[in-house]
């Protein structure tokens, strides 16, 4: 089975800190995605990547950046964390072709104090 | 913006069929309909997807109307473990194959 691993299940950071959320997948998938999930708002796409060193903005990229230096790893970076970035962050991957499904990690619950 | 509309919540008796509706009136000809579910504190899990024809797998059935403007996910014999949020997603073909999630339907299976 595909495994998508997020480095932390829970994370607590201070306002203004630089935060790295790491995601690794083990199935050689081309596509990787970062979503955030908030009550009443569902999942919203932050960034995605369809190849190494490639990235595309999703619906809510403001305040975030990403890095994809290796195919299996996709990092989400909060340059200066703010309280409104307190959220559940979900990473996903998929094969680059029509009709393929997403595989999700278990999520990182980030609290910014 | 979300491309699908789902009821926010539904209940279903254990052992009965759960029928979860989804409207996607602006779907285009090459867009697929996907269903995922999310059990509390876990990442979403793929259930099923389809383009035009009805589909069935070991988890569920997907019924897509002829005009493709709506679909129904059917869990034939709901169990308590099926209590989850169910997302209906239309897959946009744009660059990196984005998936847009809405707020889903919270299904509660009642003993």
């Amino acid at each position: 089975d595909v495994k998508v691993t997020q480095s932390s299940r829970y994370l607590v950071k201070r306002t203004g800190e630089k935060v790295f959320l790491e995601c690794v997948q083990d199935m050689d998938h081309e596509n990787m995605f970062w979503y955030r999930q908030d009550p009443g708002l569902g999942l919203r796409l932050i960034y995605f990547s369809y190849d190494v060193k490639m990235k595309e903005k999703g619906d809510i990229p403001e305040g975030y950046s990403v890095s994809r230096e290796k195919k299996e790893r996709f990092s989400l970076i909060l340059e200066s964390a703010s309280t409104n970035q307190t959220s559940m962050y979900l990473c996903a991957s998929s094969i680059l072709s029509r009709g393929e499904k997403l595989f999700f990690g278990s999520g990182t619950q980030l609290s910014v104090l | 913006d979300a491309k699908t509309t789902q009821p926010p919540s539904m209940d279903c008796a254990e052992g009965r069929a759960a029928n979860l509706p989804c409207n996607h009136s602006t779907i285009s000809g090459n867009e697929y309909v996907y269903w995922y579910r999310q059990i509390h504190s876990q990442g979403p899990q793929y259930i099923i997807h389809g383009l035009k024809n009805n589909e069935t797998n070991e988890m569920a059935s997907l019924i897509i109307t002829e005009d493709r403007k709506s679909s129904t996910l059917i869990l034939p014999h709901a169990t308590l473990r099926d209590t989850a949020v169910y997302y209906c997603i239309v897959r946009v073909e744009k660059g990196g194959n984005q998936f847009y999630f809405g707020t889903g339907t919270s299904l509660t299976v009642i003993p």
Side-chain angles (χ1 to χ4, degrees):
Chain A
D1 274 352
V2 175
K3 194 164 183 182
V4 179
T5 304
Q6 295 185 230
S7 54
S8 304
R9 187 75 176 95
Y10 298 95
L11 209 53
V12 180
K13 296 292 181 180
R14 297 278 181 196
T15 302
E17 278 193 76
K18 189 169 185 176
V19 181
F20 292 87
L21 302 182
E22 305 288 346
C23 176
V24 177
Q25 50 94 2
D26 66 358
M27 282 301 291
D28 204 36
H29 284 173
E30 290 88 355
N31 288 345
M32 295 189 75
F33 305 79
W34 275 107
Y35 291 84
R36 66 176 281 178
Q37 183 171 30
D38 301 287
L41 297 176
L43 278 78
R44 293 179 292 167
L45 183 64
I46 306 171
Y47 267 98
F48 65 100
S49 167
Y50 52 88
D51 201 354
V52 174
K53 297 192 185 296
M54 305 299 288
K55 61 183 179 183
E56 293 272 351
K57 293 180 180 179
D59 296 325
I60 50 164
E62 296 79 18
Y64 303 94
S65 62
V66 290
S67 172
R68 186 130 182 239
E69 296 296 319
K70 294 185 178 180
K71 191 174 186 180
E72 68 270 19
R73 186 179 297 270
F74 192 34
S75 302
L76 180 69
I77 303 156
L78 288 66
E79 294 288 341
S80 178
S82 63
T83 54
N84 63 11
Q85 292 178 310
T86 291
S87 186
M88 170 66 81
Y89 290 88
L90 289 157
C91 175
S93 72
S94 74
I95 298 171
L96 182 65
S97 66
R98 188 187 290 266
E100 288 296 335
K101 54 192 179 187
L102 283 173
F103 295 87
F104 279 87
S106 298
T108 296
Q109 178 62 52
L110 173 67
S111 297
V112 182
L113 306 178
Chain B
D1 290 339
K3 297 176 69 71
T4 62
T5 304
Q6 299 176 251
S9 64
M10 291 180 64
D11 293 337
C12 177
E14 188 178 15
R16 298 282 190 153
N19 296 286
L20 292 92
C22 180
N23 287 320
H24 29 79
S25 58
T26 59
I27 193 170
S28 61
N30 61 351
E31 288 180 321
Y32 289 75
V33 180
Y34 281 75
W35 283 84
Y36 282 76
R37 73 178 183 185
Q38 186 175 23
I39 296 169
H40 183 63
S41 299
Q42 298 181 21
Q45 173 195 24
Y46 166 85
I47 301 173
I48 199 167
H49 74 283
L51 184 63
K52 298 181 188 178
N53 301 321
N54 299 336
E55 302 287 344
T56 296
N57 63 21
E58 66 279 3
M59 291 181 69
S61 295
L62 173 60
I63 308 298
I64 302 174
T65 58
E66 194 169 339
D67 64 7
R68 302 209 324 123
K69 294 188 177 188
S70 66
S71 60
T72 301
L73 179 74
I74 301 172
L75 309 178
H77 305 286
T79 70
L80 299 179
R81 286 177 293 181
D82 292 323
T83 292
V85 177
Y86 288 78
Y87 296 97
C88 169
I89 302 147
V90 168
R91 184 163 179 252
V92 178
E93 281 289 334
K94 175 184 171 185
N97 302 316
Q98 300 177 46
F99 286 75
Y100 289 97
F101 288 74
T103 53
T105 296
S106 178
L107 174 69
T108 301
V109 180
I110 302 166

